[in-house]
Amino acid sequence: MVTASAPGKVYLFGEHAVVYGEPAVPCAIDRRARVTVERRADDHLRVHAEDLSLDGFTVEYGGTASGDPDVDVPQSLVEAATGYVDAAVEQAREAADAPDAGFDITIESEIPLGAGLGSSAAVTAAGIYAAAEELGADLSTDEVAERAYSAELAVQEGNASRADTFCSATGGAVRVEGDDCRSLDAPDLPFVVGFDGGAGDTGALVAGVRELKNSYDFAADTVAAVGDLVRSGEAALAAGDLAELGELMNFNHGLLSALGVSSRSLDAMVWAARDAGALGAKLTGAGGGGCVVALDETEETETALRYLPGCEETFRAELDTEGVRVE
Ligand code: MEV
């Protein structure tokens, strides 16, 4: 039996635009997904998940993702979770040259599903690492990142950048531009996260931005403007200039709103954070609902979000410099 974990993340800058080759800077945070994998005698997968914005569920099905899980929770949530697990197992089977390997899998996650904190990338990276390890294949971090990207690409039907999976695999602050993925030096970043209890559909949101970009020049210009902003953000990060980082986060949120991926509750949390004196605040991840990230060294933003109607949870997050690991 092997347990592996990988961190979730917030986007300091650049989500959505990164899908079109612009740079992005996601940062791993100290909330992890843990995946425990035990080899079975047959080729079935049995998946038990807890804390993925679900009450918990167990599904068992034969061989591949084509099974029809019979469970008592919304099918869309089960498919969202098991789709990534299936794809992760497929990658591990391939890496270990064990195409018929079956597993009992337990997922425990501190990261809500579909909320912009990278739960799917964390589950995918940890799942690949644990399953490969259980089959005797010791994967390097780079191999996990590469295979996690392939898995996400398959589940999201070609609509994925390398940003989420590279960040979860390596940890820390990273910069991703197309195929070029690297780690960045970062100062202490006083992240405050607000969660509205909801979730966005990443595939649909990415497809929506693609359609907007194909239909309107302003949207293509907005995507390019996010890229310019990220380049300024990198300089601010290198200089440790938190005030400038905050201002650029505010601009980034405005550009994401223009691309149609914010929501009333995300905007409300962003404005509550700014009113409380945060250096900056923006939605994080695909949007549509889920989480915002703010920069604030004081307690004010956390307090303001805690009492904001519609904000279900708020917490302070630290940069996590450790990526995927065996527990
Ligand atoms: C989702 O966490 C981030 C997006 O940029 C999609 C991706 O990069 O694959 C919206």
Side-chain angles (χ1 to χ4, degrees), residues 9 11 14-19 24 116-118 120 149 152 156 159-164 202 205-206 284-287:
K9 53 109 204 30
Y11 270 88
E15 56 272 87
H16 282 288
V18 69
V19 174
L117 298 182
S120 56
Y149 171 60
E152 256 202 9
Q156 291 170 207
N159 278 324
S161 73
R162 292 177 179 273
D164 285 25
T202 300
L205 288 153
V206 171
T284 174

PDB file of all heavy atoms in Angstrom, residues 9 11 14-19 24 116-118 120 149 152 156 159-164 202 205-206 284-287, ligand 1:
ATOM      1  N   LYS A   9      -3.159  24.738  -5.255  1.00  0.00           N
ATOM      2  CA  LYS A   9      -2.458  25.968  -5.637  1.00  0.00           C
ATOM      3  C   LYS A   9      -3.434  27.127  -5.807  1.00  0.00           C
ATOM      4  O   LYS A   9      -4.650  26.928  -5.916  1.00  0.00           O
ATOM      5  CB  LYS A   9      -1.687  25.762  -6.961  1.00  0.00           C
ATOM      6  CG  LYS A   9      -2.510  25.220  -8.108  1.00  0.00           C
ATOM      7  CD  LYS A   9      -2.743  26.243  -9.160  1.00  0.00           C
ATOM      8  CE  LYS A   9      -3.931  26.056 -10.015  1.00  0.00           C
ATOM      9  NZ  LYS A   9      -5.126  25.421  -9.564  1.00  0.00           N
ATOM     10  N   TYR A  11      -3.625  30.784  -8.207  1.00  0.00           N
ATOM     11  CA  TYR A  11      -2.975  31.523  -9.301  1.00  0.00           C
ATOM     12  C   TYR A  11      -2.724  32.950  -8.851  1.00  0.00           C
ATOM     13  O   TYR A  11      -3.669  33.698  -8.590  1.00  0.00           O
ATOM     14  CB  TYR A  11      -3.887  31.563 -10.535  1.00  0.00           C
ATOM     15  CG  TYR A  11      -3.695  30.412 -11.479  1.00  0.00           C
ATOM     16  CD1 TYR A  11      -4.395  29.232 -11.301  1.00  0.00           C
ATOM     17  CD2 TYR A  11      -2.825  30.503 -12.555  1.00  0.00           C
ATOM     18  CE1 TYR A  11      -4.228  28.166 -12.171  1.00  0.00           C
ATOM     19  CE2 TYR A  11      -2.649  29.442 -13.429  1.00  0.00           C
ATOM     20  CZ  TYR A  11      -3.353  28.283 -13.231  1.00  0.00           C
ATOM     21  OH  TYR A  11      -3.179  27.231 -14.095  1.00  0.00           O
ATOM     22  N   GLY A  14      -2.536  34.856 -14.277  1.00  0.00           N
ATOM     23  CA  GLY A  14      -2.392  34.260 -15.611  1.00  0.00           C
ATOM     24  C   GLY A  14      -3.285  33.104 -15.995  1.00  0.00           C
ATOM     25  O   GLY A  14      -3.133  32.575 -17.108  1.00  0.00           O
ATOM     26  N   GLU A  15      -4.248  32.657 -15.109  1.00  0.00           N
ATOM     27  CA  GLU A  15      -5.125  31.555 -15.532  1.00  0.00           C
ATOM     28  C   GLU A  15      -5.898  31.952 -16.792  1.00  0.00           C
ATOM     29  O   GLU A  15      -6.062  33.136 -17.091  1.00  0.00           O
ATOM     30  CB  GLU A  15      -6.085  31.120 -14.412  1.00  0.00           C
ATOM     31  CG  GLU A  15      -6.964  32.205 -13.833  1.00  0.00           C
ATOM     32  CD  GLU A  15      -6.291  32.923 -12.687  1.00  0.00           C
ATOM     33  OE1 GLU A  15      -5.547  33.892 -12.999  1.00  0.00           O
ATOM     34  OE2 GLU A  15      -6.511  32.585 -11.514  1.00  0.00           O
ATOM     35  N   HIS A  16      -6.357  31.003 -17.496  1.00  0.00           N
ATOM     36  CA  HIS A  16      -7.045  31.114 -18.787  1.00  0.00           C
ATOM     37  C   HIS A  16      -6.099  31.568 -19.905  1.00  0.00           C
ATOM     38  O   HIS A  16      -5.975  30.862 -20.908  1.00  0.00           O
ATOM     39  CB  HIS A  16      -8.282  32.037 -18.719  1.00  0.00           C
ATOM     40  CG  HIS A  16      -9.458  31.343 -18.090  1.00  0.00           C
ATOM     41  ND1 HIS A  16     -10.151  30.348 -18.735  1.00  0.00           N
ATOM     42  CD2 HIS A  16     -10.034  31.476 -16.862  1.00  0.00           C
ATOM     43  CE1 HIS A  16     -11.123  29.901 -17.934  1.00  0.00           C
ATOM     44  NE2 HIS A  16     -11.063  30.557 -16.794  1.00  0.00           N
ATOM     45  N   ALA A  17      -5.409  32.725 -19.741  1.00  0.00           N
ATOM     46  CA  ALA A  17      -4.521  33.167 -20.810  1.00  0.00           C
ATOM     47  C   ALA A  17      -3.413  32.138 -21.050  1.00  0.00           C
ATOM     48  O   ALA A  17      -2.925  31.983 -22.179  1.00  0.00           O
ATOM     49  CB  ALA A  17      -3.923  34.532 -20.469  1.00  0.00           C
ATOM     50  N   VAL A  18      -3.036  31.391 -19.991  1.00  0.00           N
ATOM     51  CA  VAL A  18      -1.969  30.392 -20.107  1.00  0.00           C
ATOM     52  C   VAL A  18      -2.341  29.288 -21.102  1.00  0.00           C
ATOM     53  O   VAL A  18      -1.469  28.680 -21.736  1.00  0.00           O
ATOM     54  CB  VAL A  18      -1.620  29.807 -18.709  1.00  0.00           C
ATOM     55  CG1 VAL A  18      -2.739  28.939 -18.151  1.00  0.00           C
ATOM     56  CG2 VAL A  18      -0.309  29.035 -18.729  1.00  0.00           C
ATOM     57  N   VAL A  19      -3.638  29.067 -21.291  1.00  0.00           N
ATOM     58  CA  VAL A  19      -4.091  28.040 -22.240  1.00  0.00           C
ATOM     59  C   VAL A  19      -3.685  28.436 -23.671  1.00  0.00           C
ATOM     60  O   VAL A  19      -3.506  27.590 -24.542  1.00  0.00           O
ATOM     61  CB  VAL A  19      -5.632  27.860 -22.139  1.00  0.00           C
ATOM     62  CG1 VAL A  19      -6.163  26.914 -23.202  1.00  0.00           C
ATOM     63  CG2 VAL A  19      -6.018  27.365 -20.737  1.00  0.00           C
ATOM     64  N   ALA A  24       1.973  32.218 -16.978  1.00  0.00           N
ATOM     65  CA  ALA A  24       1.157  32.258 -15.762  1.00  0.00           C
ATOM     66  C   ALA A  24       2.033  31.931 -14.566  1.00  0.00           C
ATOM     67  O   ALA A  24       3.065  31.263 -14.716  1.00  0.00           O
ATOM     68  CB  ALA A  24       0.008  31.255 -15.838  1.00  0.00           C
ATOM     69  N   GLY A 116     -11.086  26.081  -7.890  1.00  0.00           N
ATOM     70  CA  GLY A 116      -9.995  26.959  -8.308  1.00  0.00           C
ATOM     71  C   GLY A 116      -8.712  26.732  -7.540  1.00  0.00           C
ATOM     72  O   GLY A 116      -7.737  27.466  -7.735  1.00  0.00           O
ATOM     73  N   LEU A 117      -8.687  25.714  -6.674  1.00  0.00           N
ATOM     74  CA  LEU A 117      -7.472  25.454  -5.885  1.00  0.00           C
ATOM     75  C   LEU A 117      -6.709  24.228  -6.392  1.00  0.00           C
ATOM     76  O   LEU A 117      -5.864  23.677  -5.686  1.00  0.00           O
ATOM     77  CB  LEU A 117      -7.830  25.280  -4.399  1.00  0.00           C
ATOM     78  CG  LEU A 117      -8.467  26.500  -3.723  1.00  0.00           C
ATOM     79  CD1 LEU A 117      -8.729  26.217  -2.248  1.00  0.00           C
ATOM     80  CD2 LEU A 117      -7.589  27.739  -3.859  1.00  0.00           C
ATOM     81  N   GLY A 118      -7.032  23.787  -7.592  1.00  0.00           N
ATOM     82  CA  GLY A 118      -6.214  22.757  -8.216  1.00  0.00           C
ATOM     83  C   GLY A 118      -6.408  21.358  -7.663  1.00  0.00           C
ATOM     84  O   GLY A 118      -5.462  20.559  -7.653  1.00  0.00           O
ATOM     85  N   SER A 120      -8.047  18.805  -8.908  1.00  0.00           N
ATOM     86  CA  SER A 120      -7.904  17.728  -9.897  1.00  0.00           C
ATOM     87  C   SER A 120      -6.425  17.472 -10.212  1.00  0.00           C
ATOM     88  O   SER A 120      -6.004  16.316 -10.307  1.00  0.00           O
ATOM     89  CB  SER A 120      -8.688  18.039 -11.176  1.00  0.00           C
ATOM     90  OG  SER A 120      -8.296  19.268 -11.705  1.00  0.00           O
ATOM     91  N   TYR A 149       0.010  15.965 -16.748  1.00  0.00           N
ATOM     92  CA  TYR A 149      -0.473  16.846 -17.826  1.00  0.00           C
ATOM     93  C   TYR A 149      -1.210  16.030 -18.891  1.00  0.00           C
ATOM     94  O   TYR A 149      -2.316  16.409 -19.324  1.00  0.00           O
ATOM     95  CB  TYR A 149       0.709  17.608 -18.437  1.00  0.00           C
ATOM     96  CG  TYR A 149       0.347  18.378 -19.679  1.00  0.00           C
ATOM     97  CD1 TYR A 149      -0.619  19.379 -19.641  1.00  0.00           C
ATOM     98  CD2 TYR A 149       0.974  18.101 -20.890  1.00  0.00           C
ATOM     99  CE1 TYR A 149      -0.960  20.077 -20.791  1.00  0.00           C
ATOM    100  CE2 TYR A 149       0.635  18.793 -22.038  1.00  0.00           C
ATOM    101  CZ  TYR A 149      -0.326  19.788 -21.982  1.00  0.00           C
ATOM    102  OH  TYR A 149      -0.664  20.468 -23.121  1.00  0.00           O
ATOM    103  N   GLU A 152      -4.615  15.117 -17.528  1.00  0.00           N
ATOM    104  CA  GLU A 152      -5.572  16.246 -17.516  1.00  0.00           C
ATOM    105  C   GLU A 152      -6.044  16.588 -18.912  1.00  0.00           C
ATOM    106  O   GLU A 152      -7.217  16.890 -19.149  1.00  0.00           O
ATOM    107  CB  GLU A 152      -4.936  17.484 -16.867  1.00  0.00           C
ATOM    108  CG  GLU A 152      -5.459  17.682 -15.482  1.00  0.00           C
ATOM    109  CD  GLU A 152      -5.326  19.100 -14.937  1.00  0.00           C
ATOM    110  OE1 GLU A 152      -4.978  20.059 -15.657  1.00  0.00           O
ATOM    111  OE2 GLU A 152      -5.574  19.233 -13.746  1.00  0.00           O
ATOM    112  N   GLN A 156      -9.868  16.706 -19.954  1.00  0.00           N
ATOM    113  CA  GLN A 156     -10.419  18.016 -20.348  1.00  0.00           C
ATOM    114  C   GLN A 156     -10.467  18.175 -21.862  1.00  0.00           C
ATOM    115  O   GLN A 156     -10.565  19.296 -22.369  1.00  0.00           O
ATOM    116  CB  GLN A 156      -9.626  19.151 -19.682  1.00  0.00           C
ATOM    117  CG  GLN A 156      -9.860  19.191 -18.181  1.00  0.00           C
ATOM    118  CD  GLN A 156      -8.934  20.121 -17.409  1.00  0.00           C
ATOM    119  OE1 GLN A 156      -8.663  19.910 -16.247  1.00  0.00           O
ATOM    120  NE2 GLN A 156      -8.428  21.159 -18.069  1.00  0.00           N
ATOM    121  N   ASN A 159      -8.290  20.763 -23.534  1.00  0.00           N
ATOM    122  CA  ASN A 159      -8.327  22.121 -22.991  1.00  0.00           C
ATOM    123  C   ASN A 159      -7.586  22.202 -21.666  1.00  0.00           C
ATOM    124  O   ASN A 159      -8.202  22.276 -20.607  1.00  0.00           O
ATOM    125  CB  ASN A 159      -9.772  22.560 -22.748  1.00  0.00           C
ATOM    126  CG  ASN A 159     -10.422  23.057 -24.018  1.00  0.00           C
ATOM    127  OD1 ASN A 159      -9.783  23.687 -24.862  1.00  0.00           O
ATOM    128  ND2 ASN A 159     -11.698  22.751 -24.155  1.00  0.00           N
ATOM    129  N   ALA A 160      -6.274  22.136 -21.693  1.00  0.00           N
ATOM    130  CA  ALA A 160      -5.522  22.271 -20.438  1.00  0.00           C
ATOM    131  C   ALA A 160      -4.131  22.804 -20.724  1.00  0.00           C
ATOM    132  O   ALA A 160      -3.534  22.484 -21.750  1.00  0.00           O
ATOM    133  CB  ALA A 160      -5.421  20.923 -19.732  1.00  0.00           C
ATOM    134  N   SER A 161      -3.637  23.640 -19.803  1.00  0.00           N
ATOM    135  CA  SER A 161      -2.234  24.054 -19.884  1.00  0.00           C
ATOM    136  C   SER A 161      -1.441  23.152 -18.936  1.00  0.00           C
ATOM    137  O   SER A 161      -2.013  22.358 -18.194  1.00  0.00           O
ATOM    138  CB  SER A 161      -2.090  25.508 -19.448  1.00  0.00           C
ATOM    139  OG  SER A 161      -2.239  25.593 -18.044  1.00  0.00           O
ATOM    140  N   ARG A 162      -0.136  23.327 -18.931  1.00  0.00           N
ATOM    141  CA  ARG A 162       0.710  22.552 -18.019  1.00  0.00           C
ATOM    142  C   ARG A 162       0.762  23.158 -16.615  1.00  0.00           C
ATOM    143  O   ARG A 162       1.384  22.597 -15.713  1.00  0.00           O
ATOM    144  CB  ARG A 162       2.147  22.501 -18.567  1.00  0.00           C
ATOM    145  CG  ARG A 162       2.278  21.687 -19.831  1.00  0.00           C
ATOM    146  CD  ARG A 162       3.714  21.736 -20.356  1.00  0.00           C
ATOM    147  NE  ARG A 162       3.821  20.931 -21.569  1.00  0.00           N
ATOM    148  CZ  ARG A 162       4.063  19.629 -21.579  1.00  0.00           C
ATOM    149  NH1 ARG A 162       4.276  18.995 -20.439  1.00  0.00           N
ATOM    150  NH2 ARG A 162       4.129  18.970 -22.710  1.00  0.00           N
ATOM    151  N   ALA A 163       0.130  24.324 -16.432  1.00  0.00           N
ATOM    152  CA  ALA A 163       0.355  25.102 -15.210  1.00  0.00           C
ATOM    153  C   ALA A 163      -0.073  24.354 -13.942  1.00  0.00           C
ATOM    154  O   ALA A 163       0.705  24.232 -12.990  1.00  0.00           O
ATOM    155  CB  ALA A 163      -0.372  26.446 -15.306  1.00  0.00           C
ATOM    156  N   ASP A 164      -1.323  23.848 -13.912  1.00  0.00           N
ATOM    157  CA  ASP A 164      -1.831  23.220 -12.684  1.00  0.00           C
ATOM    158  C   ASP A 164      -1.009  21.996 -12.299  1.00  0.00           C
ATOM    159  O   ASP A 164      -0.625  21.814 -11.141  1.00  0.00           O
ATOM    160  CB  ASP A 164      -3.284  22.772 -12.883  1.00  0.00           C
ATOM    161  CG  ASP A 164      -4.255  23.939 -12.870  1.00  0.00           C
ATOM    162  OD1 ASP A 164      -3.832  25.063 -13.169  1.00  0.00           O
ATOM    163  OD2 ASP A 164      -5.433  23.715 -12.582  1.00  0.00           O
ATOM    164  N   THR A 202     -14.576  23.658 -15.220  1.00  0.00           N
ATOM    165  CA  THR A 202     -13.366  24.149 -15.895  1.00  0.00           C
ATOM    166  C   THR A 202     -13.471  24.006 -17.413  1.00  0.00           C
ATOM    167  O   THR A 202     -13.178  24.957 -18.159  1.00  0.00           O
ATOM    168  CB  THR A 202     -12.119  23.390 -15.384  1.00  0.00           C
ATOM    169  OG1 THR A 202     -12.012  23.614 -13.984  1.00  0.00           O
ATOM    170  CG2 THR A 202     -10.847  23.872 -16.060  1.00  0.00           C
ATOM    171  N   LEU A 205     -15.836  26.573 -18.863  1.00  0.00           N
ATOM    172  CA  LEU A 205     -15.318  27.944 -18.740  1.00  0.00           C
ATOM    173  C   LEU A 205     -14.182  28.189 -19.735  1.00  0.00           C
ATOM    174  O   LEU A 205     -14.114  29.243 -20.371  1.00  0.00           O
ATOM    175  CB  LEU A 205     -14.840  28.189 -17.300  1.00  0.00           C
ATOM    176  CG  LEU A 205     -15.992  28.310 -16.284  1.00  0.00           C
ATOM    177  CD1 LEU A 205     -15.552  27.903 -14.895  1.00  0.00           C
ATOM    178  CD2 LEU A 205     -16.535  29.745 -16.271  1.00  0.00           C
ATOM    179  N   VAL A 206     -13.298  27.193 -19.876  1.00  0.00           N
ATOM    180  CA  VAL A 206     -12.201  27.342 -20.846  1.00  0.00           C
ATOM    181  C   VAL A 206     -12.781  27.415 -22.263  1.00  0.00           C
ATOM    182  O   VAL A 206     -12.357  28.248 -23.079  1.00  0.00           O
ATOM    183  CB  VAL A 206     -11.176  26.186 -20.709  1.00  0.00           C
ATOM    184  CG1 VAL A 206     -10.154  26.210 -21.836  1.00  0.00           C
ATOM    185  CG2 VAL A 206     -10.462  26.269 -19.368  1.00  0.00           C
ATOM    186  N   THR A 284      -9.328  32.879  -8.448  1.00  0.00           N
ATOM    187  CA  THR A 284      -8.214  31.983  -8.770  1.00  0.00           C
ATOM    188  C   THR A 284      -8.733  30.739  -9.487  1.00  0.00           C
ATOM    189  O   THR A 284      -9.785  30.205  -9.123  1.00  0.00           O
ATOM    190  CB  THR A 284      -7.403  31.588  -7.510  1.00  0.00           C
ATOM    191  OG1 THR A 284      -6.421  30.610  -7.890  1.00  0.00           O
ATOM    192  CG2 THR A 284      -8.261  31.008  -6.398  1.00  0.00           C
ATOM    193  N   GLY A 285      -8.036  30.340 -10.531  1.00  0.00           N
ATOM    194  CA  GLY A 285      -8.427  29.136 -11.269  1.00  0.00           C
ATOM    195  C   GLY A 285      -9.417  29.460 -12.371  1.00  0.00           C
ATOM    196  O   GLY A 285      -9.450  30.576 -12.897  1.00  0.00           O
ATOM    197  N   ALA A 286     -10.254  28.485 -12.679  1.00  0.00           N
ATOM    198  CA  ALA A 286     -11.133  28.643 -13.847  1.00  0.00           C
ATOM    199  C   ALA A 286     -12.253  29.653 -13.614  1.00  0.00           C
ATOM    200  O   ALA A 286     -12.777  30.236 -14.560  1.00  0.00           O
ATOM    201  CB  ALA A 286     -11.726  27.287 -14.216  1.00  0.00           C
ATOM    202  N   GLY A 287     -12.652  29.893 -12.356  1.00  0.00           N
ATOM    203  CA  GLY A 287     -13.701  30.876 -12.065  1.00  0.00           C
ATOM    204  C   GLY A 287     -15.087  30.268 -12.103  1.00  0.00           C
ATOM    205  O   GLY A 287     -15.257  29.062 -11.917  1.00  0.00           O
TER     206      GLY A 287
HETATM  207  C1  MEV B   1      -7.672  26.049 -14.267  1.00  0.00           C
HETATM  208  O1  MEV B   1      -7.199  25.706 -12.970  1.00  0.00           O
HETATM  209  C2  MEV B   1      -6.680  26.945 -14.959  1.00  0.00           C
HETATM  210  C3  MEV B   1      -7.045  27.272 -16.397  1.00  0.00           C
HETATM  211  O2  MEV B   1      -6.053  28.204 -16.856  1.00  0.00           O
HETATM  212  C4  MEV B   1      -7.044  26.049 -17.277  1.00  0.00           C
HETATM  213  C5  MEV B   1      -5.651  25.478 -17.518  1.00  0.00           C
HETATM  214  O3  MEV B   1      -4.648  26.197 -17.382  1.00  0.00           O
HETATM  215  O4  MEV B   1      -5.594  24.288 -17.904  1.00  0.00           O
HETATM  216  C6  MEV B   1      -8.393  27.967 -16.482  1.00  0.00           C
END
